[in-house]
Amino acid sequence: MADLIPLTALGAEAPRLASFAALTLTERPDIALASLALRKGGAAPQVFGLALPGPGGMVTSDGTAAFWTGPGQWMVMADGRAEEDFAAAMSAAAPGCSVTEQTDGWVAIEIDCRTPIAAERLLERLVNLPPEALAPGRATRSMLHHMAVYMLRPSETRLLVWGMRSAAGSLWHALESAAARLTAD
């Protein structure tokens, strides 16, 4: 019997990486993701020390981040915790809330830009949103080509795109193509 080998969302043993003049794309299978929803009458907890944000917001602290997805709903993510039972840890940190593991249903692609201008130019090619919707510290759900994605901008030069795992190849292709066109300009 052959040993099972874990694969990333893009089908390889190691995360995919692509570098261009202005930016670098990196598949991030190490980030854990779980959804958090308030139950009727519940108050928003502080999860892992994070005060949960309002519409369009995201907060980060010590490798953990949360972003708003709807009234009383958030996604919470943590660097380097994808191999853990992150949802169980979050349930313990948010008693009385509904928590659902999301890690294996999504693919995270991080985009490190050399300059804030490179980030702005890439965003112009990816999503039809006003610039303030993706200012540093903001997050939103949007369409990228034919795919629904979460677009996060943790800093001026860093973007994080969450897409459905089943569309990982299409998402990578769209991001890589936009990055190549940006470099060619």
Side-chain angles (χ1 to χ4, degrees):
M1 178 176 226
D3 290 334
L4 295 176
I5 299 170
L7 300 177
T8 70
L10 290 167
E13 291 181 44
R16 193 173 297 179
L17 174 77
S19 290
F20 300 89
L23 49 92
T24 301
L25 305 175
T26 307
E27 181 185 14
R28 293 289 311 273
D30 62 311
I31 302 176
L33 184 68
S35 62
L36 173 79
L38 298 181
R39 294 184 186 149
K40 187 173 181 173
Q46 282 211 344
V47 181
F48 307 121
L50 299 171
L52 297 172
M58 77 176 289
V59 293
T60 60
S61 178
D62 298 324
T64 304
F67 59 97
W68 185 86
T69 59
Q73 299 176 12
W74 299 267
M75 288 286 206
V76 181
M77 56 189 200
D79 290 343
R81 297 186 67 181
E83 298 292 321
E84 301 173 25
D85 188 350
F86 182 63
M90 198 161 82
S91 289
C97 293
S98 297
V99 175
T100 306
E101 178 62 49
Q102 299 287 328
T103 305
D104 288 335
W106 297 83
V107 60
I109 300 174
E110 184 175 70
I111 306 168
D112 287 311
C113 304
R114 307 284 185 272
T115 66
I117 299 296
E120 297 295 333
R121 290 183 62 218
L122 180 65
L123 285 170
E124 289 171 356
R125 287 165 169 75
L126 295 177
V127 291
N128 185 19
L129 293 170
E132 60 274 6
L134 277 169
R138 305 289 293 166
T140 193
R141 186 162 188 148
S142 185
M143 295 298 290
L144 192 154
H145 287 240
H146 62 283
M147 301 163 283
V149 297
Y150 287 112
M151 300 284 298
L152 288 69
R153 190 163 182 196
S155 72
E156 285 191 337
T157 58
R158 184 171 163 245
L159 306 168
L160 188 64
V161 181
W162 284 98
M164 298 302 296
R165 185 181 183 97
S166 59
S170 295
L171 179 58
W172 182 270
H173 175 75
L175 295 171
E176 188 175 47
S177 296
R181 284 192 308 273
L182 178 66
T183 300
D185 288 349

